[in-house]
Amino acid sequence: MDNWNIIFIVLTCVSFVYSALQPGNWGSCENGESIPTRTNTSLRVEALRAEMVKEKLGAYIVPSEDFHMSEFVSSYDERRFYISGFDGSMGTAVITATHAALWTRGKYFLQAETQLGCDWILMREREPGVPTIEEWLGEQLENQAVKKVGACPYFFGNDAWLDYEKSLEQHGLRLGQTVPDLIDKIWTDDRPAFPDTVINSYPLKYAGKSWQDKVQEVQEEMKKKNADVLIVTMLDETAWLFNMRATDIRGFVNDPFFYSLAIVRPSSVSLYIKNKEMKLTANPTDQESDQTIKDHLNTRADGSCRKNSNKMCVEVKEYNYVSFIMDLDALAGNATIKRIWLSYFCNYAVYTMIPQDKIYVDNTPVAMLKTQKNDVEVQGMTNSHIRDAAALAIFASKLEKGVKSGETWTEVSASNELTRLRSLQDLNRGDSFASISSSGSNAAIIHYFPTNTTDRRITANDIYLIDSGGQYLDGTTDVTRTFLWRDPTAFEKECYTRVLMGQINLAMAVWTKGLFGREIDAWARQPLFDVGLTFKHGTGHGIGHYLSVHEGPGRISNYHAKFDWDVPLAEHMFYSDEPGYYEDGKFGIRLENIVYVKKVETKYSMKGVTMLGMETVTLFPYETHLIDYSKMSGKQISWLNAYNAKTLEKVGKLLKDQDAMEAYEWVEKRTKKIETTSGSTTTIASNFIIYSLLLLYLIW
Amino acid sequence: MDNWNIIFIVLTCVSFVYSALQPGNWGSCENGESIPTRTNTSLRVEALRAEMVKEKLGAYIVPSEDFHMSEFVSSYDERRFYISGFDGSMGTAVITATHAALWTRGKYFLQAETQLGCDWILMREREPGVPTIEEWLGEQLENQAVKKVGACPYFFGNDAWLDYEKSLEQHGLRLGQTVPDLIDKIWTDDRPAFPDTVINSYPLKYAGKSWQDKVQEVQEEMKKKNADVLIVTMLDETAWLFNMRATDIRGFVNDPFFYSLAIVRPSSVSLYIKNKEMKLTANPTDQESDQTIKDHLNTRADGSCRKNSNKMCVEVKEYNYVSFIMDLDALAGNATIKRIWLSYFCNYAVYTMIPQDKIYVDNTPVAMLKTQKNDVEVQGMTNSHIRDAAALAIFASKLEKGVKSGETWTEVSASNELTRLRSLQDLNRGDSFASISSSGSNAAIIHYFPTNTTDRRITANDIYLIDSGGQYLDGTTDVTRTFLWRDPTAFEKECYTRVLMGQINLAMAVWTKGLFGREIDAWARQPLFDVGLTFKHGTGHGIGHYLSVHEGPGRISNYHAKFDWDVPLAEHMFYSDEPGYYEDGKFGIRLENIVYVKKVETKYSMKGVTMLGMETVTLFPYETHLIDYSKMSGKQISWLNAYNAKTLEKVGKLLKDQDAMEAYEWVEKRTKKIETTSGSTTTIASNFIIYSLLLLYLIW
């Protein structure tokens, strides 16, 4: 799945569900415009202004982020959506006593226009003449007595906050910390509940490493960097570190996380969870979990450590922003603590508690250990991708047959059927995100997610793209294939072929250990570049192991701006390999596999140099009639033949075991060996004719 | 030329010349070791310690850099070499009251061991147990009353200074600014003179744009960024901006620069040069310069502006660190000046004069305009490379004939002959750097430069690599070719072929505008990567136009760490394209061309997307018997055929004009068309045999 797809999906759906649940709350503009996508936020903005007056603020800034700087926030944390009605993934709302404005980027202009309340100004970022937030505030508050701008430091990254602070100062304004957040004060009645799902212990046979071993490794990494304290604020990090899973983030991504924070010290660990006594003692809700969290973490029911054994114990504390910040304050003031490790993704409130000379900023050792999967995790990812491919093959063969025979299939009905088929596979725990099921011109919209208002029939005439994935106890999947059930045009065929060639280029690439993803992305784009085409998204994102479908810190992308937290590609990191091509208003093609990085053997070797390559774990066939083999190199065709053989062997076997013979034949048909001698499938025949004629001429 | 080669060369030679001139000054160690490469620095260190006592310093740090953060400093600025005897390009000397230590990296360990005075400790950076400078100073000064460490802020970049400051503070020490530098105080008698060569105006017919137009464009860029002042401290920037050239940096690079600084304001320009009245009024020393600098810059003999016309004028001031810093202080204190533009390469003394809220750091508009050559510069680079190739062809054909017929040629004599042949070409102004002329195992040392002690005979049995370049009034060249006058082994042939394939991959690459050099470097390495090989240097560095052979800010390298000043590849930037392979102790292969970035036409196009590619301006043939064409793709061979045809057309014509028929035939022999049908030169024959047998079988 593309790096930004899910954000759009989550928010589009949240918006839709929200609107649907509150029919009387649809916005209406002065000119009489009344559309179901618009929210009337006037009362909310007025309530916020009343709070601003109490706090003596000239303006208030509402960003998209939550306390954990999550890529996908729960509906509880949708503060900017609540105040503005706009649910795009990027956007910042700014409210003064007289005006309300929302800044967002080009791709969201249309969406914002149809969602923002009528009393909002849409600020089209980077368009000529559009002021920055700071410039606009400078003008708005120029003749005002109140020069203070408020914002809650819980929901800003450190760099973002400091940038605002500096830039506002240049406009004569002062940024002040507002705690608690003013949206939290006014958003009470109609707010989704704070997510509070039961936490299940995650069995060792899937995790591959006990939380005790993980904590010990983290502590060893801390020792190497002389860190006395490690602060863990990201939700996938706590889920991985403690081998625990829940369903707090449910929506258009299903991230099996629980709201939590952690503090690791050289000889102790503290975990903060919401409603701790219930969570510690509740019976597991997952059939594979066989113990309560208190037993799993070796605590008493109140979260205090059991001292009755030599075993490691996690002290469990109640999750609460304020008490966590107070605990940080105590640590920061402790003279024996010299160095406190923060990730790039801690919020400003966390940063600001730690004195400058004690801060050490780097990817946490939790993130770094998590991203390089252990052998059990690698095997689990491999296995879950085979089961996932079986579900997808059953789906694809059924859909093809249905569409060709005139059945009515739509983007939404297809998506629902695929979810159902995945749920029948072993260890499935739902989709990893809502499927991007898109037909024809919809497939050209990289951020598309079908809703009842956009739903389109899937026909044999249109290219159909489905980007989907599953959560399994032993892994997370994310796969995209593109179909067309008629003869392609020459251009469609060339695009599909070049996207495939790019995907194969990356899959069979070999490089020296130490390179970053952005430094090898160009291999995947080269076949498209050669004819003047490209795709406006990254080639690959990291993926978790029964965790998030987007996992950092690495990424295979020269499309994104440079980021400080990037890390070189290393063994056992899993990434997507998903080049694409999108023809606006017509069609979209994307082919996505999951690959993992591994050491490879080469003809020669150099002292001190490790060569890395990829192993593709997604085993799913391609549409052979959309491939122009004559454009591919001999190496690419060899790779494809080996891939097809493995797909038939692994996925074919499972389909037979599941008695899914139609799907088996569907796969078998697409995985036949491509015969070629010198990079072109036509070479043998044409050469044979030429040489035969030549020889006959010579003989006679 | 590789990015670090020249540094080594300069310093090796300076060391050698210096030692040779002062035979009585060779160091001797306590164990009786006495070698010509070692300098006895005891008296110098004692003199420095006496100054440290006066300044109440517990330690003093001596870095490699000059005031301009130049890549190659003049012998006058070799402070760290003077105090330690070590002349490697990277190294920092630290002196306390009792100890003297030098930190350097792995590739310089051997060199440092044989050069450092016997009273020095060699600190092998990054080796286990080796302390950092700050850690070591923390220990050394732990029980000392004096906690102040001195250093001269003129010779540290801003980031380097701040890192030292912070880290020393963590070890209980304080970094203090010592002005003037203490080495400058003690290094008086035997110091090379401050470079003070005549400055020539650079004619418009070569520069392509008047300095007035350049200044105006710079002022326009300043306006876009709201900068009231631009500080220019890099020597290639002043040379380019004012269309002036001199020979202040002469040694193993011939950078046609003059010591200078500049301050640009929206309606005025100041230039600081040494000995200004002489320079302004001296007669030109270059035959193509036809006016004095005062006329060129429209000033009076004292550097004040002529007011007698509407023409732009440069105010010329005396070059002096202190007065320049005082001028910055005045600008910084001027309330009407809000924003001062500094480059990443300003020294700490410059940075620290500017208040934080007025600093704007970015590549200067001078650097950015300079790196994208104008049409006249592009044409000049193209033309000068043809003349340079003619000289190199005359050299290579003569050397081959000589070596094969048993003449005595050595690395040094070959290098000298090439310099002589270059000097005969039109507009030549010497070499751009001392040639890396290396035979056999010497060619495996990327930093190698031949001296009388290392000089090796060139034989038909050894691979010979020559990396060299010329300065021409219309351009700067840098080219590497590798020769072997016997049949290669299979491995040698495979290496040469894969290096060539990498070079061609980059030369024919197509990519979307916006990518950085580090994001396309992997294309050049892929043929080597595929068999487990690589090269430990960047693929390409920028190159100036009758300026430095290394020009920033861009670079084509995934080998170097990320740097803030990197810029995307853009039209009319010139880079080297120089993959290589080095087999330690045996041989080295490098093939280097100069290319420039240009827009390219492609089969399809996308709205808003610009496709870029390369044009190769170095036209020089390859050694055909070292190429295994069967490994190359059809596209690579097509590229090579076109390249060879162009080389024969352009360079061949010039050789004929110069009546250099032996060289012409040498080139002609190497540029014959490679016949192939399907990517392999052997395909036709082998297929014919196979199909013939098949047909005969069928017939009979």
Side-chain angles (χ1 to χ4, degrees):
Chain A
M1 188 170 64
D2 173 65
N3 298 330
W4 298 106
N5 291 346
I6 298 182
I7 300 178
F8 180 85
I9 296 164
V10 176
L11 302 182
T12 304
C13 178
V14 167
S15 158
F16 191 81
V17 171
Y18 190 78
S19 300
L21 290 174
Q22 316 205 17
N25 200 22
W26 293 348
S28 72
C29 285
E30 281 175 43
N31 59 8
E33 181 195 8
S34 174
I35 53 176
T37 52
R38 193 183 302 289
T39 311
N40 184 343
T41 59
S42 303
L43 293 176
R44 299 172 187 177
V45 171
E46 284 314 311
L48 177 63
R49 285 182 177 138
E51 295 296 329
M52 286 161 57
V53 169
K54 287 186 210 161
E55 301 286 334
K56 299 189 172 56
L57 298 175
Y60 198 69
I61 305 178
V62 185
S64 312
E65 284 75 11
D66 68 5
F67 191 87
H68 305 274
M69 300 291 111
S70 303
E71 184 179 3
F72 307 110
V73 302
S74 77
S75 52
Y76 174 86
D77 273 321
E78 285 284 356
R79 292 173 187 82
R80 191 254 299 133
F81 165 48
Y82 173 77
I83 195 67
S84 71
F86 168 66
D87 69 3
S89 73
M90 291 180 192
T92 305
V94 182
I95 300 91
T96 68
T98 51
H99 291 85
L102 180 116
W103 277 256
T104 191
R105 301 255 176 101
K107 58 190 172 191
Y108 290 115
F109 291 166
L110 193 67
Q111 186 181 341
E113 279 166 12
T114 58
Q115 291 184 329
L116 281 178
C118 289
D119 37 5
W120 283 79
I121 305 162
L122 173 58
M123 293 291 191
R124 295 172 172 81
E125 268 180 69
R126 304 182 182 184
E127 295 276 295
V130 173
T132 64
I133 288 173
E134 297 91 333
E135 286 166 353
W136 185 74
L137 283 176
E139 285 165 27
Q140 292 293 313
L141 303 185
E142 193 168 14
N143 301 316
Q144 305 287 319
V146 185
K147 297 292 185 190
K148 187 174 168 189
V149 177
C152 181
Y154 294 168
F155 310 127
F156 289 80
N158 183 54
D159 288 346
W161 184 279
L162 294 178
D163 286 348
Y164 275 116
E165 195 169 58
K166 186 174 175 184
S167 187
L168 285 171
E169 196 180 309
Q170 287 173 349
H171 290 89
L173 301 173
R174 188 163 62 83
L175 182 63
Q177 297 190 39
T178 307
V179 176
D181 177 55
L182 298 191
I183 301 291
D184 284 356
K185 279 195 179 173
I186 63 168
W187 191 11
T188 47
D189 291 351
D190 50 359
R191 187 169 195 169
F194 191 92
D196 195 19
T197 59
V198 166
I199 303 174
N200 289 292
S201 64
Y202 185 51
L204 186 59
K205 66 175 172 177
Y206 300 118
K209 194 179 283 178
S210 69
W211 67 259
Q212 291 90 339
D213 287 348
K214 290 178 178 179
V215 166
Q216 201 174 332
E217 288 179 21
V218 165
Q219 286 166 335
E220 281 160 16
E221 294 299 316
M222 289 169 63
K223 201 170 173 184
K224 288 182 197 165
K225 301 287 172 67
N226 292 320
D228 304 305
V229 176
L230 170 73
I231 312 293
V232 184
T233 60
M234 295 198 76
L235 301 184
D236 64 336
E237 297 192 15
T238 48
W240 179 85
L241 180 62
F242 298 106
N243 286 342
M244 290 162 28
R245 300 290 191 274
T247 55
D248 276 3
I249 311 290
R250 284 271 136 155
F252 287 77
V253 290
N254 289 341
D255 283 338
F257 304 157
F258 46 96
Y259 273 80
S260 49
L261 296 156
I263 295 174
V264 184
R265 302 206 48 194
S267 56
S268 68
V269 197
S270 302
L271 172 67
Y272 297 73
I273 57 177
K274 192 84 182 172
N275 206 353
K276 67 172 180 176
E277 304 209 1
M278 179 278 273
K279 304 272 172 77
L280 284 166
T281 56
N283 287 325
T285 55
D286 194 293
Q287 65 201 52
E288 297 263 347
S289 295
D290 58 1
Q291 58 181 349
T292 61
I293 293 302
K294 76 179 171 57
D295 292 341
H296 177 68
L297 296 179
N298 195 28
T299 73
R300 300 199 189 89
D302 65 354
S304 61
C305 265
R306 280 187 196 150
K307 300 287 187 190
N308 58 344
S309 73
N310 294 325
K311 286 191 293 182
M312 203 185 273
C313 160
V314 176
E315 178 196 31
V316 178
K317 306 177 88 168
E318 188 63 24
Y319 174 98
N320 176 299
Y321 301 154
V322 176
S323 67
F324 179 70
I325 294 285
M326 290 299 100
D327 285 355
L328 294 186
D329 194 36
L331 287 171
N334 183 333
T336 67
I337 290 172
K338 306 285 189 196
R339 206 167 199 219
I340 299 180
W341 191 334
L342 303 181
S343 98
Y344 294 98
F345 301 98
C346 288
N347 66 53
Y348 180 70
V350 169
Y351 263 88
T352 204
M353 296 314 295
I354 318 295
Q356 273 301 313
D357 62 348
K358 292 192 177 185
I359 289 184
Y360 170 64
V361 180
D362 201 350
N363 291 307
T364 70
V366 183
M368 292 312 298
L369 291 165
K370 171 168 60 64
T371 188
Q372 287 187 260
K373 275 65 176 172
N374 64 48
D375 291 342
V376 171
E377 289 172 324
V378 171
Q379 193 57 55
M381 288 293 274
T382 305
N383 294 346
S384 57
H385 275 77
I386 293 169
R387 295 194 303 281
D388 196 68
L392 189 59
I394 295 167
F395 165 78
S397 58
K398 185 173 180 180
L399 180 67
E400 176 174 340
K401 191 176 170 189
V403 170
K404 283 182 169 174
S405 68
E407 287 175 21
T408 300
W409 284 88
T410 71
E411 295 166 341
V412 170
S413 71
S415 170
N416 291 340
E417 175 63 4
L418 178 54
T419 299
R420 188 186 71 80
L421 290 167
R422 274 203 169 91
S423 74
L424 302 177
Q425 293 293 332
D426 271 1
L427 306 183
N428 182 265
R429 293 294 180 273
D431 289 348
S432 51
F433 59 96
S435 302
I436 297 171
S437 168
S438 54
S439 174
S441 58
N442 282 345
I445 305 167
I446 302 173
H447 293 189
Y448 180 75
F449 169 77
T451 63
N452 287 340
T453 52
T454 64
D455 195 19
R456 220 179 124 122
R457 187 165 170 185
I458 299 168
T459 74
N461 200 43
D462 289 320
I463 285 183
Y464 174 65
L465 181 159
I466 182 146
D467 182 346
S468 66
Q471 291 287 12
Y472 297 85
L473 269 188
D474 56 348
T476 301
T477 73
D478 185 2
V479 54
T480 309
R481 284 296 182 272
T482 304
F483 303 93
L484 178 60
W485 299 291
R486 63 161 163 79
D487 288 337
T489 66
F491 182 59
E492 287 165 343
K493 191 168 184 173
E494 174 156 12
C495 292
Y496 186 96
T497 303
R498 290 187 178 275
V499 169
L500 174 62
M501 287 161 69
Q503 190 185 44
I504 294 175
N505 277 0
L506 193 63
M508 66 183 187
V510 176
W511 68 93
T512 48
K513 185 170 177 175
L515 293 193
F516 289 79
R518 67 165 57 248
E519 293 165 353
I520 70 167
D521 184 359
W523 281 330
R525 296 177 195 265
Q526 187 182 349
L528 288 162
F529 280 173
D530 281 346
V531 291
L533 306 178
T534 189
F535 47 97
K536 296 187 177 181
H537 58 70
T539 294
H541 56 78
I543 181 169
H545 169 263
Y546 190 28
L547 285 171
S548 176
V549 78
H550 285 179
E551 183 176 273
R555 177 178 250 167
I556 301 174
S557 175
N558 58 32
Y559 179 74
H560 292 87
K562 290 183 276 189
F563 43 99
D564 290 340
W565 53 91
D566 202 5
V567 294
L569 300 166
E571 298 93 313
H572 285 190
M573 289 180 178
F574 281 73
Y575 291 97
S576 66
D577 172 7
E578 52 175 315
Y581 175 70
Y582 310 90
E583 182 80 4
D584 278 353
K586 292 184 181 156
F587 65 84
I589 292 167
R590 184 163 63 250
L591 298 172
E592 176 184 23
N593 287 340
I594 300 299
V595 297
Y596 72 90
V597 179
K598 60 171 189 178
K599 283 187 191 166
V600 293
E601 294 298 315
T602 47
K603 183 175 177 183
Y604 306 113
S605 60
M606 286 173 72
K607 197 180 156 193
V609 172
T610 301
M611 303 305 298
L612 299 178
M614 303 283 200
E615 178 81 31
T616 300
V617 296
T618 305
L619 296 174
F620 197 83
Y622 299 95
E623 294 300 283
T624 51
H625 71 299
L626 301 183
I627 305 173
D628 177 356
Y629 296 106
S630 73
K631 289 203 162 49
M632 294 171 69
S633 72
K635 262 185 82 178
Q636 287 166 338
I637 288 182
S638 297
W639 184 94
L640 189 53
N641 273 330
Y643 178 82
N644 281 339
K646 190 171 174 185
T647 299
L648 184 63
E649 180 200 333
K650 303 280 185 184
V651 181
K653 181 180 179 304
L654 184 60
L655 288 168
K656 273 186 176 169
D657 290 349
Q658 297 184 359
D659 208 19
M661 291 314 294
E662 274 195 24
Y664 175 82
E665 283 155 23
W666 187 91
V667 170
E668 190 184 34
K669 188 178 156 195
R670 283 162 174 74
T671 52
K672 292 197 194 307
K673 189 171 182 204
I674 307 144
E675 296 293 346
T676 173
T677 53
S678 60
S680 163
T681 47
T682 59
T683 306
I684 294 179
S686 63
N687 281 0
F688 183 71
I689 292 165
I690 292 163
Y691 294 127
S692 300
L693 290 173
L694 181 59
L695 190 68
L696 290 173
Y697 174 79
L698 291 174
I699 291 171
W700 291 318
Chain B
M1 188 171 61
D2 172 65
N3 298 331
W4 298 107
N5 291 345
I6 298 182
I7 300 178
F8 179 85
I9 295 165
V10 176
L11 302 183
T12 303
C13 178
V14 167
S15 159
F16 192 81
V17 170
Y18 189 78
S19 301
L21 291 175
Q22 317 205 14
N25 200 22
W26 292 350
S28 72
C29 285
E30 283 175 42
N31 58 10
E33 182 195 7
S34 173
I35 51 174
T37 51
R38 193 184 301 292
T39 310
N40 184 341
T41 59
S42 302
L43 293 176
R44 299 173 188 176
V45 170
E46 284 315 309
L48 177 63
R49 284 182 179 137
E51 294 296 330
M52 286 161 57
V53 169
K54 287 186 209 161
E55 300 286 334
K56 299 190 172 58
L57 297 175
Y60 198 69
I61 304 177
V62 184
S64 313
E65 283 75 11
D66 69 3
F67 192 87
H68 306 274
M69 301 290 112
S70 303
E71 186 180 3
F72 307 110
V73 303
S74 77
S75 52
Y76 174 86
D77 273 321
E78 285 284 354
R79 293 174 186 80
R80 192 254 300 134
F81 166 48
Y82 174 76
I83 195 67
S84 71
F86 169 67
D87 68 3
S89 72
M90 290 180 191
T92 305
V94 182
I95 300 93
T96 68
T98 51
H99 291 84
L102 180 115
W103 276 256
T104 191
R105 301 253 176 103
K107 59 188 171 192
Y108 290 115
F109 291 167
L110 193 67
Q111 187 181 340
E113 280 166 12
T114 59
Q115 291 184 328
L116 282 178
C118 288
D119 38 3
W120 282 81
I121 305 163
L122 173 58
M123 293 291 193
R124 294 172 172 80
E125 267 181 70
R126 302 182 184 183
E127 296 276 294
V130 173
T132 64
I133 289 174
E134 297 91 332
E135 286 167 353
W136 185 74
L137 283 176
E139 285 165 27
Q140 292 293 312
L141 304 185
E142 193 168 13
N143 300 315
Q144 306 287 319
V146 185
K147 296 292 186 192
K148 187 174 168 190
V149 176
C152 180
Y154 293 169
F155 310 127
F156 289 80
N158 183 56
D159 288 345
W161 184 279
L162 295 178
D163 287 349
Y164 275 117
E165 194 169 60
K166 185 174 177 184
S167 188
L168 285 171
E169 196 181 308
Q170 288 175 349
H171 290 88
L173 302 173
R174 188 162 62 82
L175 182 63
Q177 298 190 38
T178 307
V179 176
D181 178 54
L182 298 191
I183 301 291
D184 284 354
K185 279 196 178 173
I186 62 167
W187 191 12
T188 48
D189 291 352
D190 50 358
R191 187 169 194 168
F194 192 93
D196 195 20
T197 60
V198 166
I199 303 173
N200 289 292
S201 64
Y202 185 51
L204 186 59
K205 67 175 171 178
Y206 300 118
K209 195 179 282 178
S210 69
W211 67 259
Q212 292 89 340
D213 287 348
K214 291 177 177 179
V215 166
Q216 201 173 334
E217 287 179 22
V218 165
Q219 288 167 334
E220 281 161 16
E221 294 300 315
M222 289 168 63
K223 199 169 175 184
K224 287 182 197 165
K225 302 288 172 66
N226 292 319
D228 304 305
V229 176
L230 170 73
I231 312 292
V232 184
T233 61
M234 294 199 78
L235 300 185
D236 65 335
E237 297 192 16
T238 47
W240 179 85
L241 180 60
F242 297 108
N243 286 343
M244 289 162 28
R245 300 290 191 274
T247 56
D248 277 2
I249 311 289
R250 282 272 136 153
F252 287 76
V253 291
N254 290 340
D255 283 339
F257 304 157
F258 46 95
Y259 273 81
S260 49
L261 296 155
I263 295 174
V264 185
R265 302 204 49 193
S267 56
S268 68
V269 197
S270 302
L271 172 67
Y272 298 72
I273 57 177
K274 192 83 180 173
N275 206 354
K276 67 173 180 176
E277 303 208 1
M278 180 278 274
K279 304 272 172 78
L280 284 166
T281 56
N283 286 325
T285 56
D286 194 294
Q287 65 200 52
E288 297 263 347
S289 294
D290 58 1
Q291 57 180 349
T292 61
I293 293 302
K294 75 178 172 58
D295 290 342
H296 177 69
L297 295 179
N298 196 27
T299 72
R300 300 199 190 89
D302 66 354
S304 62
C305 266
R306 280 189 197 150
K307 300 284 186 194
N308 58 344
S309 73
N310 294 325
K311 286 191 291 181
M312 201 184 276
C313 161
V314 176
E315 178 196 31
V316 179
K317 306 177 89 170
E318 188 63 23
Y319 175 97
N320 174 299
Y321 301 155
V322 176
S323 68
F324 179 69
I325 294 285
M326 289 301 97
D327 285 356
L328 294 186
D329 193 37
L331 286 171
N334 182 333
T336 66
I337 291 172
K338 305 285 189 197
R339 205 166 199 220
I340 299 180
W341 190 334
L342 302 182
S343 99
Y344 294 99
F345 301 99
C346 289
N347 66 54
Y348 180 70
V350 168
Y351 263 88
T352 204
M353 297 313 297
I354 316 296
Q356 273 301 314
D357 62 347
K358 291 192 177 185
I359 289 184
Y360 171 63
V361 179
D362 201 349
N363 291 306
T364 69
V366 183
M368 292 311 298
L369 290 165
K370 172 167 59 65
T371 189
Q372 287 186 260
K373 275 66 176 170
N374 65 47
D375 291 342
V376 171
E377 290 173 322
V378 170
Q379 193 58 55
M381 289 293 274
T382 305
N383 295 345
S384 57
H385 275 77
I386 293 170
R387 293 195 303 282
D388 196 67
L392 189 59
I394 295 168
F395 165 79
S397 57
K398 185 174 180 179
L399 180 67
E400 176 174 339
K401 192 177 169 189
V403 170
K404 282 183 169 174
S405 67
E407 286 175 22
T408 302
W409 283 88
T410 70
E411 295 168 342
V412 170
S413 71
S415 171
N416 291 340
E417 176 62 7
L418 179 55
T419 299
R420 189 187 70 82
L421 290 167
R422 273 202 170 93
S423 74
L424 302 177
Q425 294 293 331
D426 271 1
L427 306 184
N428 183 264
R429 293 295 181 270
D431 289 348
S432 51
F433 59 98
S435 302
I436 296 171
S437 168
S438 55
S439 173
S441 58
N442 282 346
I445 305 168
I446 301 172
H447 294 188
Y448 179 75
F449 169 76
T451 65
N452 288 339
T453 52
T454 64
D455 194 18
R456 218 179 125 123
R457 188 166 168 183
I458 300 169
T459 74
N461 199 43
D462 289 320
I463 285 182
Y464 174 66
L465 181 158
I466 182 147
D467 182 346
S468 66
Q471 290 288 11
Y472 297 85
L473 270 188
D474 56 348
T476 301
T477 73
D478 184 2
V479 54
T480 308
R481 284 296 182 273
T482 304
F483 303 93
L484 177 60
W485 299 290
R486 63 161 163 78
D487 287 338
T489 66
F491 182 58
E492 287 165 344
K493 191 168 183 172
E494 175 156 11
C495 292
Y496 186 97
T497 303
R498 289 186 179 276
V499 169
L500 173 61
M501 287 161 69
Q503 190 185 43
I504 294 174
N505 276 1
L506 194 62
M508 66 183 188
V510 176
W511 69 92
T512 47
K513 185 171 178 174
L515 292 194
F516 290 79
R518 68 166 56 249
E519 293 165 352
I520 70 167
D521 184 0
W523 281 329
R525 296 177 195 266
Q526 187 182 350
L528 288 162
F529 280 172
D530 282 346
V531 290
L533 305 179
T534 189
F535 47 96
K536 295 186 176 181
H537 58 72
T539 294
H541 56 79
I543 181 168
H545 170 263
Y546 190 28
L547 286 171
S548 176
V549 77
H550 286 179
E551 183 177 274
R555 176 178 251 168
I556 301 174
S557 175
N558 58 32
Y559 179 73
H560 292 87
K562 290 184 274 188
F563 43 99
D564 290 340
W565 52 91
D566 202 6
V567 293
L569 299 165
E571 297 93 313
H572 285 191
M573 289 181 179
F574 281 73
Y575 291 98
S576 66
D577 172 7
E578 51 175 315
Y581 176 70
Y582 310 90
E583 182 80 3
D584 278 353
K586 292 184 181 156
F587 64 84
I589 292 167
R590 183 163 63 252
L591 298 172
E592 177 184 22
N593 287 340
I594 299 300
V595 298
Y596 72 90
V597 179
K598 60 172 190 178
K599 283 187 190 166
V600 293
E601 293 298 315
T602 47
K603 183 174 178 183
Y604 306 113
S605 60
M606 286 173 72
K607 197 180 157 195
V609 172
T610 300
M611 303 306 296
L612 299 178
M614 303 283 200
E615 178 80 30
T616 300
V617 296
T618 304
L619 296 174
F620 196 83
Y622 300 94
E623 294 300 282
T624 51
H625 70 298
L626 301 182
I627 305 172
D628 177 358
Y629 295 106
S630 74
K631 290 205 161 48
M632 295 171 69
S633 71
K635 259 185 86 178
Q636 287 166 338
I637 288 183
S638 297
W639 184 93
L640 188 53
N641 275 328
Y643 179 80
N644 282 338
K646 190 171 175 186
T647 298
L648 184 64
E649 179 200 334
K650 302 281 184 183
V651 181
K653 181 180 180 304
L654 184 59
L655 287 168
K656 274 187 176 169
D657 290 349
Q658 297 184 358
D659 207 19
M661 291 314 293
E662 275 194 24
Y664 175 83
E665 282 155 24
W666 187 92
V667 170
E668 190 184 33
K669 189 178 155 195
R670 284 162 174 74
T671 52
K672 292 196 193 309
K673 190 172 181 202
I674 307 144
E675 295 294 346
T676 173
T677 53
S678 61
S680 162
T681 46
T682 60
T683 307
I684 292 177
S686 64
N687 281 359
F688 182 70
I689 293 167
I690 293 164
Y691 294 129
S692 299
L693 292 173
L694 181 61
L695 190 67
L696 290 172
Y697 174 82
L698 291 174
I699 291 172
W700 290 317

